[in-house]
Amino acid sequence: MSNPHAPLLARGEGPFLDDLPDPQGLLHATVFTSPIPHGRLLRVDVEAARTAPGVVTVLTAADIPGENQIGGIIRDEPLLASDEVHFVGQPIAVVVASSRREARRAAARVTAEIEPLDAVLDPRQAAARGSLIGAVRTLALGDVDTGFAASDVVLSGRADTGSQEHCYLETQAAMALPREGGRLHLLSSTQSPTLVQRIAARVLGVPMHDVEVEVTRLGGAFGGKEDQATPWAVMAALAARILKRPVKLVLSRHEDMRWTGKRHPYSSDFRIGLTARGKILAFEVTYYQNAGATADLSPAILERTLFHATGSYFVPNVRVTGMSCRTNLPPFTAFRGFGAPQAMFVFECALARAAEALSVPVRTLQRHNLLREGDELPHGMRAERCRAERCFDEAATRFRLDELALHVEEHNRTSRLTKRGLALMPVCFGISFTNTMLNQAGALVHVFTDGSVSVSTGAVEMGQGVTAKLLAVASRTLGVDPGRVRVESTSTARVANTSPTAASTGADMNGKAAEIACAAILVRLREVAAERLGCDASEVTIAADRVLVRGEASDLLWPEVVWIAYTRRVDLSAHAHYATPGIHFDRERGKGRPFAYHVYGTAIVEVTLDTLRGTYRVDRVRLVHDGGRSLDPQVDLGQVEGGVVQGVGWVTMEEVLWDRGRLLTDTMTTYKVPDVHTSPEVETVFLPDADNPEAVLHSKAIGEPPFMYGIGAYFALLAAMKAARPEGALLFDSPLTPEKALMFLEDAHG
């Protein structure tokens, strides 16, 4: 079943927010931001901007009628700076003009007197100063000290992972439209319509019912529009409320890269203990998360890091500690994987060090320590329907791992100028929001008298195909042709109190709510059909637009039974609410069941390294993925392939660089992402016979887990580098750019 958005997007006909027709009287806004990473804001002079051509007004913190605060988890982020600035790019003033060009020219005329203060940019330095966001978090399992004491080999090290730019096609965008009675209709490129609604109401000092937020589609998001779409939407809302005219705010690519947050960089210290036979007995790690200047989603991201500290492996004795370190960089934010990739990278580093010490292939240690049914994870949940070993073995067999390893070894024996590397990357990823409260969704379904169906949920379509999956759920549940179903835009006026479309839960939760609503309508229609056909309602089903009795087709079609129901005053609408059952987590004890289920899989990654230049090619990623019973196989395949490439980019070429708090890689010429020339060949096999009763129609979430397969590219490259220079020390500093590879190899041809 195809994504109904896909043809529009492929033809360039699917409008994003900035493509919509301009309403009459539209004004354009832009932002004046801090030029330094930390300072005391003494004075802001906006007079030159106010008198610039086309300018209607310039707004500062003094113009905010409600609370100057947009922080979600922790209220530590002003919409507009008033006393201090804490990062380069922090908003100070909003300039509103007749055109975007006039607004930007006027913003350049705003000046600010700022007394520079000491800036902290490194998370370890921030931790040493006690500059933390929230409490230090620790999870423990077993007795880690006893585990290390019983170990034959104990190894330690440091691992660092870099940031990552979201690179969504559509930049941050919003348009605020005043309505009668002081209400606002707010169009926002956000994953979190209710969050935008809540924060806009807070800043404007109005009730939430005065703000309707609507989203048709996003041109990509990857987490970058979960929290960070909010300030731009609220600035547009503030201007529209004050001026009583429509206001649009759209960031340029350059502005978006400089002013918005990215994936969290981490610096971590680990220690691992094993028996001489390679069984892991103990693992300990401290994560220094670079959170940036404000909390944003950092505490939640850190929590998921802790939950995934041991990856796909069982370790009986674990102690993992994490801290969100406040630095003077733009607030880092959600990104596909949400803290789990950083954790899995560290554990794979520990395995690489252990394999070197024990003189065994890393894959031997991986297979020996994979999770099994009933194994306890550090957060207290036990592995259920555990498919870690099954995916690993299926990948090894299907893709002839042993034969492939021999080919790699033979190539490396006979070739001096190129070396090949091979790595496996098992994945175990928990599905649910780690904040239990967010695991709820609503749906509103209407069946019209001609038999067409309208489905509204809180899910936002951002190119991930959730619309196609919701359509599939509704058509299958009702038994009608997919062409009869329309999935509406997301609106807080139709479905209220929505959770973000994030954490890979969009189809799971909203699909389940839609299924419940459709099922409620179906019960009523079966009763109507049974009365018409003279049978019991339990004998009636609907499939392919036709009413069946005991599995045999009757002459009653879907449109007819709908019309009969209407004439008999039967309700053809239903609202449903779904709350993921059985999940909980006690943060005081550090134990619970935070996830509905886990997604498993294993990837085999092959690379070729040019030992003279340090350049490389990620040749192939072949994987077996535990995808449940897919709602739309083509959508899921696309998500796997896209996730793999994005993960490969994170650990190889996507290097984010700052200089004294100012972003250096702030254009698409200085920041490198995988393209058609550098993306690997991806071959995906979905694990058969892998139903999942914990989600809608036995499906499994797909968005985030495949990202982690890309981590294998790092360790395949590391293997190739070690083949060229065996005496070189293992390097745990991602991304592994060609420059870093060349520095490692510099003595290989000496």
Side-chain angles (χ1 to χ4, degrees):
M1 191 175 295
S2 62
N3 183 348
H5 288 251
L8 292 174
L9 297 176
R11 295 192 298 262
E13 297 172 0
F16 298 125
L17 192 148
D18 198 29
D19 300 319
L20 299 176
D22 290 348
Q24 185 175 4
L26 177 69
L27 299 173
H28 297 264
T30 192
V31 187
F32 170 74
T33 65
S34 172
I36 69 171
H38 192 201
R40 189 170 290 110
L41 186 58
L42 304 177
R43 188 173 65 90
V44 181
D45 186 352
V46 301
E47 289 311 308
R50 285 189 198 278
T51 58
V55 171
V56 177
T57 191
V58 180
L59 305 174
T60 64
D63 297 298
I64 293 174
E67 184 181 352
N68 183 21
Q69 183 53 246
I70 62 172
I73 294 178
I74 298 173
R75 294 194 179 194
D76 66 347
E77 185 174 359
L79 177 68
L80 298 173
S82 57
D83 300 318
E84 285 191 11
V85 292
H86 296 280
F87 60 92
V88 174
Q90 182 173 359
I92 296 174
V94 180
V95 180
V96 186
S98 298
S99 71
R100 199 171 296 171
R101 177 177 293 182
E102 289 171 328
R104 288 192 172 122
R105 285 178 174 174
R109 299 173 67 170
V110 178
T111 60
E113 183 181 347
I114 305 174
E115 177 189 340
L117 298 173
D118 185 32
V120 177
L121 306 174
D122 179 80
R124 290 176 181 264
Q125 182 185 1
R129 294 186 176 194
S131 181
L132 302 179
I133 295 173
V136 176
R137 297 285 304 277
T138 298
L139 295 182
L141 175 66
D143 187 331
V144 74
D145 296 322
T146 300
F148 281 120
S151 298
D152 299 312
V153 177
V154 177
L155 303 155
S156 61
R158 169 173 168 164
D160 293 276
T161 54
S163 187
Q164 188 176 24
E165 172 64 46
H166 295 90
C167 281
Y168 27 64
L169 291 175
E170 177 196 24
T171 60
Q172 301 282 3
M175 183 161 59
L177 308 170
R179 295 292 188 243
E180 63 180 41
R183 296 181 68 248
L184 277 177
H185 186 194
L186 192 50
L187 306 176
S188 173
S189 180
T190 180
Q191 297 173 242
S192 307
T194 293
L195 177 67
V196 169
Q197 180 192 29
R198 182 184 303 124
I199 301 300
R202 179 197 296 173
V203 171
L204 299 179
V206 301
M208 288 175 67
H209 70 217
D210 277 356
V211 181
E212 177 188 355
V213 178
E214 184 175 7
V215 184
T216 299
R217 66 173 63 83
L218 310 184
F222 308 116
K225 297 174 182 175
E226 184 173 348
D227 254 38
Q228 298 228 340
T230 302
W232 321 109
V234 175
M235 289 176 205
L238 174 65
R241 174 86 173 177
I242 290 173
L243 298 172
K244 297 180 173 56
R245 288 179 62 181
V247 176
K248 183 193 285 188
L249 198 165
V250 179
L251 300 189
S252 69
R253 178 65 60 185
H254 190 49
E255 291 166 343
D256 196 292
M257 294 182 79
R258 286 187 293 129
W259 296 348
T260 67
K262 312 180 192 317
R263 184 183 296 279
H264 289 74
Y266 276 57
S267 186
S268 306
D269 297 320
F270 66 83
R271 188 160 64 121
I272 189 169
L274 309 91
T275 67
R277 296 174 62 85
K279 192 68 175 177
I280 303 170
L281 297 182
F283 180 66
E284 184 175 35
V285 63
T286 300
Y287 303 107
Y288 298 92
Q289 179 201 62
N290 192 335
T294 63
D296 196 273
L297 290 165
S298 295
I301 290 165
L302 182 68
E303 185 170 67
R304 187 170 283 268
T305 298
L306 297 175
F307 287 168
H308 289 82
T310 53
S312 298
Y313 309 100
F314 173 63
V315 183
N317 304 290
V318 181
R319 183 165 59 224
V320 293
T321 300
M323 56 193 82
S324 289
C325 306
R326 193 187 298 273
T327 62
N328 295 111
L329 291 169
F332 293 98
T333 193
F335 202 131
R336 197 176 198 165
F338 207 77
Q342 294 93 323
M344 294 186 191
F345 179 84
V346 174
F347 200 91
E348 295 297 328
C349 289
L351 283 179
R353 177 141 293 168
E356 182 181 60
L358 294 172
S359 299
V360 298
V362 177
R363 60 184 177 274
T364 301
L365 293 184
Q366 290 174 319
R367 180 61 181 84
H368 193 39
N369 290 282
L370 286 173
L371 284 164
R372 296 177 178 175
E373 190 73 16
D375 284 343
E376 187 176 356
L377 295 157
H379 47 70
M381 185 172 175
R382 294 188 178 274
E384 300 172 356
R385 299 182 188 86
C386 182
R387 294 162 183 159
E389 291 185 327
R390 188 177 163 203
C391 288
F392 193 100
D393 293 343
E394 178 74 15
T397 301
R398 180 179 290 268
F399 302 123
R400 301 179 180 177
L401 176 61
D402 292 339
E403 182 180 326
L404 179 59
L406 290 175
H407 284 316
V408 169
E409 291 173 10
E410 179 61 24
H411 175 89
N412 291 343
R413 272 196 301 270
T414 58
S415 173
R416 185 165 178 259
L417 297 183
T418 64
K419 299 292 183 182
R420 294 182 63 195
L422 176 69
L424 277 76
M425 184 63 206
V427 167
C428 169
F429 188 85
I431 302 298
S432 287
F433 286 99
T434 55
N435 183 348
T436 304
M437 171 186 71
L438 294 177
N439 292 288
Q440 57 178 306
L444 177 64
V445 177
H446 300 305
V447 176
F448 297 102
T449 55
D450 65 351
S452 60
V453 181
S454 167
V455 178
S456 295
T457 74
V460 172
E461 174 63 54
M462 61 193 88
Q464 86 281 36
V466 71
T467 299
K469 292 191 171 186
L470 292 171
L471 192 153
V473 168
S475 65
R476 292 182 197 178
T477 304
L478 293 172
V480 301
D481 185 274
R484 292 192 182 276
V485 182
R486 175 185 174 86
V487 179
E488 306 292 350
S489 63
T490 309
S491 168
T492 57
R494 280 193 293 272
V495 178
N497 307 319
T498 62
S499 294
T501 304
S504 303
T505 63
D508 274 17
M509 296 198 310
N510 293 280
K512 195 66 177 178
E515 181 189 24
I516 295 168
C518 289
I521 296 172
L522 185 62
V523 167
R524 303 167 201 160
L525 293 177
R526 288 171 59 199
E527 290 174 351
V528 170
E531 184 179 345
R532 171 66 179 272
L533 296 170
C535 63
D536 191 87
S538 63
E539 300 175 307
V540 172
T541 56
I542 300 177
D545 281 353
R546 185 175 291 277
V547 176
L548 286 69
V549 178
R550 294 181 292 276
E552 297 294 328
S554 73
D555 60 357
L556 190 59
L557 300 178
W558 166 261
E560 295 175 72
V561 74
V562 169
W563 178 256
I564 295 169
Y566 170 70
T567 63
R568 297 183 183 181
R569 299 184 295 178
V570 172
D571 188 3
L572 293 173
S573 297
H575 169 265
H577 180 264
Y578 175 72
T580 309
I583 55 173
H584 58 90
F585 189 74
D586 185 335
R587 288 188 171 87
E588 294 297 319
R589 294 175 51 245
K591 297 295 179 184
R593 179 188 170 87
F595 303 118
Y597 60 89
H598 288 84
V599 173
Y600 298 93
T602 293
I604 300 174
V605 186
E606 303 168 64
V607 304
T608 301
L609 171 71
D610 182 323
T611 62
L612 285 178
R613 295 179 292 181
T615 57
Y616 49 75
R617 182 178 69 249
V618 181
D619 300 310
R620 279 175 296 278
V621 180
R622 294 184 281 188
L623 61 97
V624 173
H625 183 77
D626 167 29
R629 190 184 298 175
S630 178
L631 296 172
D632 191 314
Q634 288 301 111
V635 166
D636 285 353
L637 182 62
Q639 285 294 290
V640 170
E641 292 175 349
V644 167
V645 171
Q646 198 170 45
V648 168
W650 177 54
V651 296
T652 57
M653 65 178 64
E654 296 190 44
E655 187 172 32
V656 181
L657 298 172
W658 289 271
D659 178 28
R660 289 169 290 185
R662 184 179 298 275
L663 184 66
L664 296 179
T665 49
D666 61 354
T667 69
M668 295 308 295
T669 57
T670 55
Y671 183 77
K672 305 298 183 184
V673 295
D675 57 20
V676 294
H677 301 291
T678 55
S679 295
E681 172 192 333
V682 180
E683 182 178 349
T684 303
V685 173
F686 289 104
L687 193 70
D689 302 320
D691 285 5
N692 177 36
E694 304 299 332
V696 58
L697 303 182
H698 287 267
S699 63
K700 275 198 170 185
I702 193 69
E704 290 171 286
F707 180 94
M708 270 66 74
Y709 295 132
I711 296 172
Y714 185 99
F715 295 96
L717 278 169
L718 197 58
M721 289 159 56
K722 289 287 285 181
R725 189 181 170 211
E727 73 279 10
L730 289 170
L731 176 67
F732 302 138
D733 183 16
S734 177
L736 188 45
T737 61
E739 291 86 352
K740 292 178 186 176
L742 185 61
M743 294 293 289
F744 180 93
L745 295 167
E746 62 179 356
D747 295 328
H749 300 278

